[in-house]
Amino acid sequence: MCVDVEDMIKELKALIEIPSIVGEEGELAKYLAEVLKNYGFTPELHRVEGDRYNVICRVRGDRPGRTLLLNGHLDTVPVASGWRTNPFKPKIEGDRLYGLGACDMKSGLVALLFGLKAFVDTFEDFAGEVIYSAVVDEEGFSKGAKALIREINADAAIIGEPYFAIERPAVIGATGKLLLEVKVVGKAAHAFRPWLGINAIEEASKIISKIADLEPIIDSRFGKIKPAVLKIEGGYERYNVTVPEECVFQVNRLTLPEETEEKVISWIKGIIESVDLKSKVEVKIRPPLYKGYVVKKDDPIVLAFRRAFIEEMNVAPKLSYYANITDANVITGEGGIPSIVFGPRGGNTHMANEYVELKTVEKAAKIYALTIKEFLALG
Ligand SMILES: [Zn+2]
């Protein structure tokens, strides 16, 4: 299958030139829809909120069959300090293209698009359907992916994040994540006679010390997992010689796919009960909340990807589970659509001087095209 590399690089540059920092994806969504139209596709803009749209484009074969979702995100993180070049003026040096979102993940978006184009150019008739989607807010709260799974269904998905399956394995499973809010309610008293009150901050610190002293869990799939306290608030805003009545803190807790919310709540309650407290403690789950997931190594999408990768690269892809969060937590964890996370290789993501290796953008596009072929043909 033939990928038009020159056009693809041209489009990658155009996408980088349109800033799309999380929350401001509107212009890029509209531009990408125009690009899809120019290639003969029929994209739709689906408003998520305000001027934020998911781009969704369905390509139907002439016979019923499997549906494959190709997904990427439109948004980037904000500009970090230390850029040598203008982050919105893509610059090529050797095989590297520098620019904000070059790697995470505007290269993934164009590679998925040109992979799809190569597939439809090669196969005039095919069974099933391919859905191309570019969503908002991956770097925020995954509102785009959440809206997407309410609107579409698919038998499998490829997510074009920068895991090139050579050094950095493609992702077939990830932990989930919960944010726990713990509220400790004590009793106010004059701070010169603290024994008359219950100091909520001192009580909270006992729970926090317990959490800090926990040994990390070693999971055979995800490796080392340990909760972390992220934020604490307590006492009075104005200077006040009173024993603090209230203290609230948040705990970031990665979760295993098998762990339900109830299990995590009883885990934290167990820790709280193990400490000798006089205060009352309430526990709540706060957003963002992501579900963990595991895709089996013999799932049809993994097999299709594996064959496609070997055909193009002559080696087997590396696959792995990660302690990490991407839109796959929404699409697969929440939506139940098995996925593989694979895309072009680069570096410095979420940092200055982000780049992508252009040769891998071409390779990824070809592997996407071959995976579509394998997956739809297998159905
Ligand atoms: Zn990303």
Side-chain angles (χ1 to χ4, degrees):
M1 271 185 268
C2 184
V3 171
D4 192 334
V5 179
E6 229 171 85
D7 274 10
M8 182 166 66
I9 306 301
K10 203 182 88 204
E11 284 307 343
L12 172 56
K13 287 178 166 173
L15 297 194
I16 292 171
E17 281 169 10
I18 301 172
S20 60
I21 291 162
V22 57
E24 295 156 24
E25 303 94 339
E27 193 187 339
L28 185 65
K30 288 167 201 163
Y31 176 80
L32 183 60
E34 284 309 310
V35 174
L36 283 156
K37 272 185 210 161
N38 290 341
Y39 286 116
F41 296 115
T42 50
E44 289 173 8
L45 289 175
H46 290 229
R47 177 180 271 120
V48 177
E49 61 178 26
D51 192 36
R52 308 179 78 185
Y53 309 88
N54 285 344
V55 182
I56 301 178
C57 182
R58 291 174 179 272
V59 184
R60 290 194 176 94
D62 49 7
R63 284 165 284 138
R66 284 179 167 162
T67 299
L68 179 60
L69 172 68
L70 310 178
N71 179 261
H73 61 86
L74 293 161
D75 55 317
T76 69
V77 291
V79 181
S81 60
W83 277 85
R84 285 188 293 110
T85 58
N86 182 335
F88 302 109
K89 291 267 173 284
K91 188 156 192 267
I92 295 179
E93 286 174 11
D95 186 46
R96 290 183 176 185
L97 184 148
Y98 288 86
L100 179 59
C103 183
D104 186 13
M105 57 163 282
K106 292 180 176 181
S107 54
L109 281 180
V110 295
L112 287 167
L113 168 57
F114 279 76
L116 172 60
K117 187 175 170 297
F119 172 75
V120 294
D121 287 349
T122 311
F123 296 94
E124 280 180 12
D125 59 306
F126 61 91
E129 182 179 16
V130 183
I131 305 174
Y132 176 90
S133 62
V135 301
V136 300
D137 201 44
E138 194 270 348
E139 305 290 1
F141 296 87
S142 290
K143 287 179 188 169
K146 288 185 187 206
L148 178 74
I149 58 163
R150 286 195 295 268
E151 287 169 4
I152 63 121
N153 204 355
D155 297 303
I158 307 175
I159 299 168
E161 293 274 9
Y163 295 82
F164 194 60
I166 301 273
E167 298 85 2
R168 202 177 184 209
V171 185
I172 53 169
T175 52
K177 185 173 96 105
L178 275 184
L179 190 62
L180 290 164
E181 190 173 274
V182 183
K183 184 174 168 185
V184 179
V185 182
K187 193 178 143 210
H190 196 292
F192 293 174
R193 288 172 292 280
W195 55 87
L196 297 177
I198 301 169
N199 190 318
I201 294 178
E202 292 174 5
E203 295 269 289
S205 72
K206 292 181 191 169
I207 309 171
I208 291 170
S209 305
K210 273 271 174 183
I211 294 171
D213 289 344
L214 288 173
E215 286 296 324
I217 297 169
I218 311 287
D219 183 82
S220 60
R221 300 155 299 180
F222 302 106
K224 218 172 174 176
I225 293 176
K226 191 178 183 330
V229 176
L230 294 187
K231 189 179 178 182
I232 183 162
E233 267 173 13
Y236 304 97
E237 236 167 75
R238 221 183 260 182
Y239 172 66
N240 189 344
V241 190
T242 304
V243 170
E245 203 173 20
E246 210 177 279
C247 181
V248 181
F249 62 92
Q250 291 182 341
V251 182
N252 184 64
R253 172 68 157 72
L254 294 180
T255 58
L256 301 174
E258 311 73 57
E259 276 184 309
T260 57
E261 292 175 28
E262 294 73 38
K263 268 194 184 170
V264 179
I265 293 276
S266 61
W267 165 82
I268 188 98
K269 284 193 169 159
I271 291 172
I272 293 165
E273 277 158 24
S274 75
V275 189
D276 189 23
L277 298 176
K278 293 188 213 79
S279 51
K280 278 191 227 118
V281 184
E282 290 163 30
V283 179
K284 270 188 198 151
I285 291 174
R286 289 260 177 242
L289 187 152
Y290 292 93
K291 280 199 175 143
Y293 71 93
V294 163
V295 178
K296 290 206 183 87
K297 287 192 173 145
D298 61 353
D299 189 278
I301 186 59
V302 180
L303 296 179
F305 168 73
R306 211 183 124 79
R307 280 157 64 158
F309 191 92
I310 291 170
E311 189 176 333
E312 185 60 33
M313 305 294 291
N314 296 313
V315 289
K318 285 190 183 154
L319 306 170
S320 187
Y321 303 111
Y322 280 86
N324 200 4
I325 302 291
T326 65
D327 273 349
N329 289 84
V330 178
I331 290 167
T332 313
E334 233 176 285
I337 302 169
S339 68
I340 182 127
V341 181
F342 162 78
R345 179 173 61 200
N348 297 339
T349 56
H350 295 212
M351 291 163 65
N353 308 314
E354 178 180 352
Y355 66 89
V356 68
E357 294 172 25
L358 290 171
K359 195 74 199 150
T360 68
V361 186
E362 178 186 347
K363 289 282 182 198
K366 287 183 177 164
I367 293 164
Y368 292 144
L370 292 167
T371 308
I372 301 168
K373 182 194 83 172
E374 291 287 338
F375 186 75
L376 296 188
L378 283 167

